[in-house]
Amino acid sequence: MITLMDNCAAQSELLTDNSELRRQVELIVTTMPVIDVHTHVFPPAFDGMFLQGIDELLTYHYLIAETFRSTDLSHEKFWLMTKTERADLVWRTLFVENTPLSEAACGIVCVLDVFGLDPRSPDLAEARAFFSTQERHEHLDRVLQIAGVSDVVMTNDPFHEREVLLWNGAGHNNPRFHASLRLDALLNEWPEAMQTLTRQGLRIDAALDDSTVAELRRFLDGWITRMQPLYMAVSLPAEFKFPDSDVRDRLIREVVLPTAREHSLSLALMIGVHRGVNPALRSAGDGMGRADVRALERMCEENPDLKFLATFLSRENQHELCVSARKFNNLMPFGCWWFLNNPSIVSEITRERLELLGPSFIPQHSDARVLEQLIYKWRHARSIIGSSLYESYERLLQNGRAVTRQEIARDVERMFSGNFRSWVGLPPESSLRNRERGS
Ligand code: RAT
Ligand code: ZN
């Protein structure tokens, strides 16, 4: 029988053997609960936005873009199809007529395999039968448990009609789902946002006079009260400059940053997206470009009392982001975003972050849109983060300093949840759950 003392001794034992070190790193990284700091996943209460099952998985915009690499079908004809027909086409094209080699396609294979479904099936009958018979809440809990995700941060848009209805109604009461207040519509589509807000009865002046600024501040205050977001967020084009002379700059300075200050909320900046590079692809048509990291540095420098989470879409910006984070401790790099979420690039970015920042960053977020994507995205991420971390500990060992299991667990916990919790002020898991139970 293993006693408590044996267990404590094992935790603090120095790991001087490479294969045992690797085994322990893998074990800790695969079992440590993670907070998924940026997703587009919602709980079942968000009617029509809780996406799950094989048809949603296969019509993910990453896979739609890839399907057009291997079919002659026109975009127009594709968009005329029903969701079921689109899913059938994606399956046939990427999984039957071709080998599913890409990261997003391999992810589907992983999900099917986890649920004991045949990834070589000629059609989707078996998978559809399985997913359509899962009870939503039980399935949600099962997926979160398989993925090892303790908490999910949603992307919540106060300009999204369906969401607005939900928040203005019963809201949701799933304690594992947290909101983030997304500001894209306000900061990137100001003319349309102005019209929407005016329709809602706000007094908005295009010249952004003082009373408009006050009205916009009240608008955000109201949403913060309703959603209780963990942070505010915006995605920005590669050309984003700060300071700048456009309306976005004024909105950031006069509305967003003062709101962040007043509510002690971090601002997440996701920089480098080119929206609608190919509009015919709709949601699959966005591209990317290299951004100027100096804009982020200036924002951190001008606002030392505010905290920023940041991620860049271009591989070329990753090293610069690490260096910026060494200069500004109000800057937290997070995730390998979207087109970067491929094993070769995640590995490179994670290693360069470990080398430049130690454990003081958030290695990954899933960006999942469909529930079951959490399974493959986290399985793949854990495997690469584990290898990168093992390399770091092995180098440490070669240099004369072994680590213990306890130290590995401390580092992994910090990167998988601790850094985020302390950045956004989310209480530790146990106290949060107790609070929700009313104790
Ligand atoms: O990664 C994605 O799925 C993108 O479509 C975007 O949602 C991006 O992550 C974003 O949040 O803008
Ligand atoms: Zn996203």
Side-chain angles (χ1 to χ4, degrees):
M1 199 175 75
I2 300 170
T3 65
L4 189 61
M5 282 232 316
D6 291 337
N7 198 19
C8 287
Q11 290 297 313
S12 51
E13 200 177 289
L14 291 176
L15 296 163
T16 50
D17 172 70
N18 279 348
S19 56
E20 182 56 12
L21 174 64
R22 184 187 284 276
R23 214 176 67 79
Q24 291 302 330
V25 173
E26 273 171 15
L27 186 69
I28 292 167
V29 170
T30 46
T31 53
M32 184 67 72
V34 72
I35 299 181
D36 200 335
V37 307
H38 169 65
T39 78
H40 303 263
V41 173
F42 299 88
F46 283 70
D47 213 17
M49 297 171 74
F50 170 69
L51 304 183
Q52 57 86 223
I54 193 66
D55 291 300
E56 297 295 351
L57 285 166
L58 288 172
T59 50
Y60 186 31
H61 65 86
Y62 292 30
L63 289 173
I64 291 176
E66 289 169 28
T67 300
F68 281 109
R69 305 281 315 151
S70 301
T71 178
D72 290 331
L73 191 80
S74 71
H75 298 117
E76 292 72 27
K77 286 203 174 118
F78 178 81
W79 295 116
L80 285 173
M81 291 169 142
T82 63
K83 184 167 284 176
T84 316
E85 288 166 343
R86 290 177 198 166
D88 284 331
L89 174 79
V90 173
W91 181 255
R92 205 171 48 248
T93 309
L94 297 181
F95 297 81
V96 180
E97 292 168 2
N98 290 284
T99 311
L101 291 172
S102 76
E103 166 62 13
C106 179
I108 299 281
V109 171
C110 169
V111 172
L112 293 174
D113 186 60
V114 161
F115 291 115
L117 302 165
D118 180 8
R120 300 188 63 94
S121 172
D123 60 43
L124 297 171
E126 182 198 27
R128 284 193 177 122
F130 170 79
F131 286 110
S132 65
T133 49
Q134 303 306 303
E135 197 282 321
R136 289 165 21 131
H137 295 90
E138 275 170 25
H139 186 58
L140 168 63
D141 287 346
R142 184 176 176 200
V143 169
L144 292 180
Q145 195 255 326
I146 297 170
V149 172
S150 65
D151 296 76
V152 177
V153 183
M154 308 173 276
T155 297
N156 303 97
D157 177 0
F159 287 83
H160 187 286
E161 259 176 55
R162 198 175 254 169
E163 269 214 72
V164 170
L165 281 178
L166 175 112
W167 290 107
N168 287 340
H172 82 102
N173 63 358
N174 190 317
R176 300 174 77 171
F177 282 77
H178 308 274
S180 70
L181 177 55
R182 187 72 177 236
L183 302 175
D184 284 39
L186 182 68
L187 296 180
N188 297 332
E189 295 149 28
W190 173 238
E192 295 80 9
M194 245 176 20
Q195 286 175 12
T196 311
L197 295 171
T198 306
R199 272 198 307 276
Q200 291 179 12
L202 275 75
R203 210 207 58 75
I204 301 291
D205 180 83
L208 265 191
D209 59 6
D210 289 352
S211 80
T212 302
V213 168
E215 193 85 320
L216 291 171
R217 293 276 311 270
R218 272 195 297 279
F219 173 77
L220 291 187
D221 291 346
W223 279 106
I224 290 167
T225 306
R226 239 166 294 174
M227 289 179 180
Q228 297 284 307
L230 293 183
Y231 60 81
M232 296 189 286
V234 60
S235 75
L236 294 160
E239 295 71 29
F240 173 65
K241 288 209 279 289
F242 188 86
D244 207 345
S245 51
D246 57 1
V247 69
R248 185 199 282 122
D249 190 83
R250 285 199 57 203
L251 287 165
I252 290 177
R253 283 175 194 282
E254 295 173 40
V255 179
V256 176
L257 295 177
T259 301
R261 200 162 273 123
E262 186 182 323
H263 294 270
S264 301
L265 280 176
S266 302
L267 178 62
L269 301 166
M270 306 171 68
I271 307 175
V273 53
H274 280 158
R275 297 282 176 198
V277 166
N278 183 356
L281 276 172
R282 297 193 187 173
S283 61
D286 298 339
M288 51 151 291
R290 181 179 181 160
D292 182 1
V293 176
R294 286 292 291 140
L296 174 64
E297 290 182 340
R298 287 196 195 100
M299 198 172 299
C300 292
E301 189 186 355
E302 273 187 29
N303 300 279
D305 56 329
L306 291 181
K307 287 178 172 173
F308 299 92
L309 290 148
T311 199
F312 282 82
L313 197 46
S314 162
R315 179 184 173 201
E316 281 64 38
N317 285 133
Q318 302 309 317
H319 181 248
E320 295 164 318
L321 174 60
C322 291
V323 176
S324 303
R326 290 171 66 93
K327 308 300 139 193
F328 296 98
N329 65 1
N330 58 339
L331 170 57
M332 175 63 79
F334 76 96
C336 303
W337 182 24
W338 200 345
F339 306 115
L340 299 170
N341 192 359
N342 299 304
S344 61
I345 303 183
V346 175
S347 169
E348 173 183 288
I349 296 176
T350 308
R351 282 182 284 132
E352 99 193 336
R353 286 177 178 170
L354 282 167
E355 287 163 2
L356 281 156
L357 301 171
S360 69
F361 64 98
I362 298 167
Q364 190 54 310
H365 66 269
S366 75
D367 235 311
R369 287 176 180 263
V370 183
L371 177 66
E372 298 88 354
Q373 288 170 343
L374 293 171
I375 296 175
Y376 87 80
K377 294 204 183 219
W378 281 109
R379 183 170 289 191
H380 292 184
R382 283 177 197 268
S383 152
I384 298 158
I385 295 166
S387 304
S388 312
L389 256 180
Y390 165 72
E391 265 179 35
S392 304
Y393 293 131
E394 193 206 20
R395 205 174 38 249
L396 212 49
L397 183 59
Q398 276 166 13
N399 280 276
R401 203 250 196 224
V403 291
T404 65
R405 287 179 188 78
Q406 224 163 28
E407 287 171 333
I408 299 171
R410 177 191 60 190
D411 298 341
V412 177
E413 185 177 16
R414 180 171 173 190
M415 291 192 286
F416 278 19
S417 61
N419 284 334
F420 182 70
R421 277 188 197 287
S422 51
W423 205 256
V424 302
L426 183 65
E429 210 181 352
S430 51
S431 68
L432 182 76
R433 302 264 186 267
N434 287 342
R435 204 183 60 201
E436 271 139 13
R437 278 197 294 266
S439 53

